[in-house]
Amino acid sequence: MYGSCTGLRPAGTAVAVCVAFLLSGCSGDGDGDGGAPVVGQRAEANGSYWVDPDGTAARQVAAYEKDGDQEKAGLIRKIAEQPAGEWIGPDAPTVEARRVTEAAAKADRYALLVLYNIPHRDCGQFSKGGAADANAYRAWVDGVARGIGDRQATVILEPDALLHLVDGCTPQEHHDERYDLLSSAVERLKRQPATQVYIDAGNAGWQSPEALHEPLRRAGIEKADGFSLNVSNFLTTAVSTEFGKRLSAKVGNKPFVIDTSRNGNGPYEGGDPAETWCNPPGRALGEPPTTETGDESVDAYLWIKRPGESDGDCNGGPRAGDWWPEYALGLARATK
């Protein structure tokens, strides 16, 4: 998901602590149990999601301020002040999920988690990898679920995984297993009382709703809270909303969330059409994360992709997922 020929992409001081404290509402003394279950409910305010006070962008702000570069610090603060997805790594899912959800609970906020570890991930491209096999993946998901516990969490499930089945990128021999893994992951995560699950459904430029509704059914959309769109992509919120509503109508009117992290200027239309998804120039931050979308079909605008992290070693970028300060500054400067 950090690099994909089909147009998707990704999946890190005192000043930062102050930023997170102000945004998270001065709570911080919760006991970590996450409060009452919120299944099927929206978070209640624009500041619903947790901001990591030690995220990569926050550390970059601190570094620029230490160097006396207030202009760059102010630009990166546009990223550091906003909640972004926490991409759970392959090695310690329970520890990572617990760390994030406990920190979010203490701030009376939701955790936003991204699960991106499906076997045969990204068809061997920039973000190739994933769990060794089906059993390893099931154990990993179980670890994430145990780390979440009964705390409030929104989970974006496996960017690209479903769409690579639909577009044929993932070999046919892996299809049945992947559908089973996605459906099983939904079921396992939904056993947690305060966890919302959104199955990734690609973006409006990839496949049609007609091609997606049956795959979403096989992946467990009926048990999920909805689906996600535009992860790591640049399509406008308006285009994504229109596409999402057409797809929603085919899957029981399930709501959806939209990744607005880098869609402020829409998609890039220059250069090699095969690389418009990968670190394109001139892009901008999109709408800040919020659950107040003004549209009952859209549960939230979220920054699922972490702005400033590379899509892959293309267009001058470092490897997929690495922090790229120059690109982050470009996103911030272009933001209206």
Side-chain angles (χ1 to χ4, degrees):
M1 168 53 15
Y2 278 108
S4 166
C5 61
T6 48
L8 291 185
R9 213 348 341 104
T13 70
V15 171
V17 170
C18 287
V19 166
F21 181 75
L22 289 171
L23 290 177
S24 61
C26 308
S27 173
D29 58 354
D31 61 8
D33 65 2
V38 293
V39 175
Q41 300 176 16
R42 297 185 183 196
E44 293 181 355
N46 291 4
S48 297
Y49 287 95
W50 176 67
V51 179
D52 186 355
D54 193 39
T56 310
R59 295 197 299 271
Q60 185 70 74
V61 170
Y64 282 141
E65 291 200 328
K66 183 178 180 181
D67 292 340
D69 195 332
Q70 297 301 324
E71 188 263 342
K72 288 184 178 178
L75 288 168
I76 299 300
R77 194 174 288 110
K78 293 181 181 180
I79 297 173
E81 289 180 345
Q82 299 296 340
E86 299 287 333
W87 295 65
I88 301 299
D91 298 327
T94 303
V95 173
E96 284 193 50
R98 181 180 294 122
R99 175 188 67 82
V100 174
T101 56
E102 285 184 347
K106 289 178 181 178
D108 195 25
R109 294 292 181 263
Y110 284 72
L112 177 60
L113 307 179
V114 187
L115 304 197
Y116 186 57
N117 195 37
I118 201 83
H120 317 292
R121 188 180 69 194
D122 203 34
C123 306
Q125 299 176 83
F126 288 125
S127 294
K128 65 183 177 181
D133 55 34
N135 288 335
Y137 184 73
R138 291 188 183 96
W140 182 80
V141 171
D142 182 67
V144 172
R146 287 186 286 109
I148 293 171
D150 61 359
R151 291 173 288 275
Q152 296 174 336
T154 295
V155 174
I156 307 302
L157 184 62
E158 294 297 341
D160 288 1
L162 183 74
L163 269 292
H164 279 319
L165 297 175
V166 177
D167 69 8
C169 186
T170 299
Q172 183 67 41
E173 61 262 31
H174 301 311
H175 284 207
D176 288 345
E177 176 186 85
R178 179 167 294 183
Y179 280 121
D180 179 67
L181 290 178
L182 290 171
S183 179
S184 296
V186 172
E187 184 174 0
R188 175 64 188 91
L189 291 162
K190 289 302 295 179
R191 283 162 49 189
Q192 307 311 119
T195 296
Q196 299 168 319
V197 181
Y198 294 86
I199 303 172
D200 186 65
N203 63 65
W206 197 342
Q207 293 287 329
S208 70
E210 290 70 28
L212 292 175
H213 66 90
E214 179 59 19
L216 273 172
R217 185 194 64 78
R218 291 186 64 185
I221 190 64
E222 291 181 2
K223 298 177 183 177
D225 293 274
F227 55 92
S228 60
L229 293 174
N230 206 47
V231 174
S232 299
N233 214 286
F234 306 87
L235 295 170
T236 66
T237 302
V239 167
S240 297
T241 300
E242 189 274 334
F243 178 88
K245 287 184 175 183
R246 289 194 288 127
L247 180 55
S248 174
K250 293 181 175 295
V251 290
N253 294 314
K254 288 283 187 176
F256 53 96
V257 298
I258 300 172
D259 186 351
T260 61
S261 58
R262 304 184 299 175
N263 72 347
N265 281 343
Y268 181 58
E269 297 180 352
D272 183 352
E275 292 192 352
T276 56
W277 59 269
C278 191
N279 301 319
R283 300 311 91 199
L285 303 171
E287 289 97 335
T290 180
T291 56
E292 300 298 329
T293 67
D295 191 319
E296 63 181 9
S297 297
V298 186
D299 274 356
Y301 302 143
L302 301 173
W303 286 10
I304 300 169
K305 167 72 175 181
R306 301 174 67 85
E309 292 185 358
S310 176
D311 293 318
D313 56 352
C314 44
N315 287 324
R319 67 178 183 177
D322 281 1
W323 173 252
W324 187 8
E326 293 78 14
Y327 198 80
L329 288 167
L331 290 171
R333 285 196 178 100
T335 301
K336 299 178 179 63

